[in-house]
Amino acid sequence: MNILSPSILSADFWKLGEDIRAVEKAGVKWLHVDVMDGLFVPSISYGMPILQCVRPKTDLFLDVHLMIEKPERYVQEFAKCGADLVNFHIEATEDVEGCIQLIRETGKKVGITIKPNTPPEAVEAYLELVDMVLVMTVEPGFGGQKLIPECLDKVQVIRKMVADKGLSTDIQVDGGISLDNVHMALEAGANVIVAGSSVFKNDACVNAEEFLKKLQ
Ligand code: DX5
Ligand code: ZN
């Protein structure tokens, strides 16, 4: 099943609730929450207070993408604040398995992420342990960048690894995905699509509907 996970990084925070209702109305089931610490990535976004505010107001599946150094310090707190899936960068920790375990203990789903320069083989040892692999299709840190098409080759490699192991791991792509190029991500084998600016920078409801049609 293909899933659209709109990134609220590109929403209008003045009317965040309205923007979230708009994508719900379009039929969206997931919401992508980007957390940046100014260390692992050059920018700072938001953290627990946004989750605590959004969680009681929506049933959307909250997919939290942690772009933070030493994620083991915070993964359980994000789970407590309402994340349904906690996703961290394997480049950000020296103890990937320990971090996966900490998230598992909370009962929430687990995701691992790789940046554009990290090879696909880096996730192989963890595939049995996680629910989702996020392959970044831009350098993490900002919304509104251009897709790096070579990253989709890594999606193909990981999709094959997952199939060879008989797993049903979700593969997510994030960064620069638009209505014009989403077909490339799907063809490469991604089944969870993050889209920020291309959903929220225009009519969020209409754009999310268009995406969902393409994902069917
Ligand atoms: C970038 C974030 C993305 C971002 C995507 O570091 O991880 O989730 O919001 O935004 P777009 O779709 O505009 O590239
Ligand atoms: Zn993201």
Side-chain angles (χ1 to χ4, degrees):
M1 191 185 55
N2 294 330
I3 295 166
L4 175 66
S5 192
S7 167
I8 57 167
L9 189 65
S10 294
D12 179 348
F13 299 131
W14 181 251
K15 55 177 185 69
L16 181 59
E18 278 175 47
D19 276 8
I20 293 174
R21 289 288 179 252
V23 294
E24 278 179 338
K25 189 168 164 237
V28 158
K29 304 287 179 223
W30 282 37
L31 204 62
H32 186 81
V33 181
D34 287 303
V35 179
M36 303 178 184
D37 67 352
L39 288 170
F40 183 72
V41 289
S43 190
I44 297 178
S45 58
Y46 41 70
M48 293 90 173
I50 288 281
L51 272 177
Q52 283 165 327
C53 180
V54 169
R55 176 72 291 167
K57 304 286 191 207
T58 180
D59 292 329
L60 290 175
F61 182 91
L62 298 180
D63 150 34
V64 174
H65 175 195
L66 296 179
M67 286 162 272
I68 65 174
E69 283 292 348
K70 296 192 178 28
E72 56 274 18
R73 295 173 298 154
Y74 290 110
V75 286
Q76 293 197 321
E77 205 169 334
F78 276 99
K80 216 182 288 166
C81 288
D84 292 296
L85 181 147
V86 181
N87 204 331
F88 67 93
H89 276 260
I90 63 170
E91 304 93 350
T93 177
E94 284 170 8
D95 186 9
V96 174
E97 280 195 37
C99 202
I100 291 172
Q101 186 55 33
L102 283 173
I103 303 169
R104 278 277 171 246
E105 282 169 15
T106 69
K108 307 298 179 167
K109 298 222 168 182
V110 183
I112 52 172
T113 307
I114 52 171
K115 296 205 281 186
N117 287 331
T118 303
E121 293 72 26
V123 301
E124 190 161 15
Y126 310 113
L127 287 178
E128 277 92 354
L129 307 176
V130 301
D131 301 292
M132 189 169 85
V133 175
L134 164 54
V135 178
M136 288 305 297
T137 41
V138 297
E139 280 300 332
F142 302 96
Q145 302 182 75
K146 211 169 153 294
L147 170 88
I148 304 169
E150 292 74 27
C151 294
L152 296 177
D153 300 342
K154 301 198 299 181
V155 172
Q156 259 178 335
V157 173
I158 296 170
R159 178 52 76 201
K160 182 167 183 317
M161 282 177 195
V162 164
D164 288 349
K165 289 177 189 282
L167 299 169
S168 56
T169 318
D170 287 319
I171 302 182
Q172 184 177 51
V173 285
D174 180 10
I177 306 288
S178 68
L179 283 164
D180 295 331
N181 63 22
V182 63
H183 66 280
M184 289 161 58
L186 295 170
E187 278 159 23
N191 70 305
V192 185
I193 307 294
V194 176
S197 46
S198 47
V199 167
F200 285 111
K201 289 297 179 205
N202 295 293
D203 183 331
C205 184
V206 171
N207 282 17
E209 273 173 17
E210 293 298 313
F211 262 104
L212 289 171
K213 271 188 222 152
K214 297 218 171 197
L215 263 54
Q216 268 169 12

